[in-house]
Amino acid sequence: MIPAAGTGCPPPRVERSVSESTTGGGRRVSRRTLLIGGSAAGLGAAGVAGYAARDELSRMWWRLPGIEKPRKAGAVDQPGAEWIAASGANWRWADRPDDYTIDRVVIHVVQGSYDDAVRVFRDPGHRAAAHYVVRRDGHIAQMVRELDVAFHAGNRPYNERSIGIEHEGFVSKPSSFTDAMYRASARLTASICERYGIPRDREHIVGHVEVPGTDHTDPGRHWDWNRYIRAVRAVRVARTAK
């Protein structure tokens, strides 16, 4: 289930360019390194605050003019998924995994239908969305790109480190979780794990209920975790670089 939490507006779109400089020793230095290092150079005297500021700069470098990964309208990260864009108010532009490491998959149940999930994720007033929505018949919609931060977990660090998968259905109804849904979701989670080197285990594939500070109970006691993790581990996918 998705909490109504978080805000965010995309920065202006800019063309990405790559430039490098050469140090005296002949080593190539990326523009990112120069920009972050130069911007943080004056922070040394600030001690811990300086390090904190530099860490924030290291996460925000992509916002600078000339730095951004290419984005193609309608492109999806998961082959076979349908692209349906969530409202820009329900996620935050980012450059994952370069600015935030992705090491978790969070499983949600919407407490409603597939159409309900898609509708609220497209509503700017909802202030929340997951990256993916899985329907009873196994159809998958991608609504937020994996490189971006979706507001799905009700916990900012978890939003930044995870990918959220919403499932059609109700936590109180075992019939919500069909064979087709389990299979499609397991393939999706396995692919995400391969893309980012995430272990396929219960420490890294978690329910919304397990996110620190949450008041949600999904996916609930009828979600068959043993079956799901077995299915995720059984999927064979070719690892691709992100």
Side-chain angles (χ1 to χ4, degrees):
M1 195 187 320
I2 296 299
T7 58
C9 297
R13 295 171 181 260
V14 295
E15 295 292 331
R16 185 184 184 188
S17 63
V18 177
S19 60
E20 293 183 320
S21 298
T22 305
T23 65
R27 181 170 58 87
R28 304 294 288 179
V29 180
S30 69
R31 183 168 183 248
R32 175 187 180 186
T33 301
L34 290 173
L35 288 168
I36 295 172
S39 299
L43 298 175
V48 174
Y51 283 109
R54 189 182 190 286
D55 180 67
E56 184 64 17
L57 283 169
S58 72
R59 298 182 188 279
M60 300 293 287
W61 69 276
W62 61 272
R63 290 180 181 265
L64 296 167
I67 305 289
E68 187 195 340
K69 286 180 179 175
R71 293 167 185 255
K72 182 179 180 180
V76 294
D77 297 292
Q78 180 68 13
E82 176 188 9
W83 175 255
I84 305 175
S87 168
N90 299 335
W91 54 275
R92 186 174 87 235
W93 280 50
D95 190 40
R96 303 190 309 169
D98 291 335
D99 50 1
Y100 299 102
T101 297
I102 298 174
D103 64 1
R104 293 290 188 278
V105 176
V106 179
I107 302 299
H108 301 265
V109 173
V110 72
Q111 290 296 89
S113 70
Y114 169 89
D115 291 338
D116 290 335
V118 170
R119 184 183 70 255
V120 297
F121 293 168
R122 299 182 73 182
D123 177 3
H126 187 60
R127 301 299 189 189
H131 293 88
Y132 294 96
V133 183
V134 183
R135 202 165 60 194
R136 285 175 52 87
D137 63 1
H139 179 75
I140 296 173
Q142 181 171 0
M143 303 195 68
V144 179
R145 288 185 170 87
E146 292 177 4
L147 58 82
D148 293 320
V149 175
F151 305 148
H152 67 96
N155 176 308
R156 178 173 175 175
Y158 264 72
N159 285 342
E160 292 169 344
R161 73 191 298 185
S162 68
I163 291 174
I165 303 177
E166 191 71 67
H167 296 80
E168 178 177 23
F170 298 85
V171 297
S172 60
K173 296 182 178 180
S175 60
S176 294
F177 311 133
T178 65
D179 291 342
M181 175 183 285
Y182 274 123
R183 287 194 300 268
S185 180
R187 286 193 298 268
L188 173 58
T189 293
S191 296
I192 292 168
C193 289
E194 286 301 314
R195 281 194 279 277
Y196 303 102
I198 303 172
R200 303 190 205 184
D201 58 33
R202 284 287 284 118
E203 180 182 351
H204 297 87
I205 304 169
V206 301
H208 192 183
V209 66
E210 297 169 276
V211 174
T214 187
D215 60 355
H216 290 256
T217 63
D218 56 314
R221 63 188 179 90
H222 296 299
W223 181 264
D224 191 337
W225 277 112
N226 290 333
R227 173 183 179 178
Y228 188 66
I229 295 298
R230 283 197 304 269
V232 171
R233 289 173 174 168
V235 175
R236 297 292 179 261
V237 292
R239 185 166 184 176
T240 57
K242 290 294 293 181

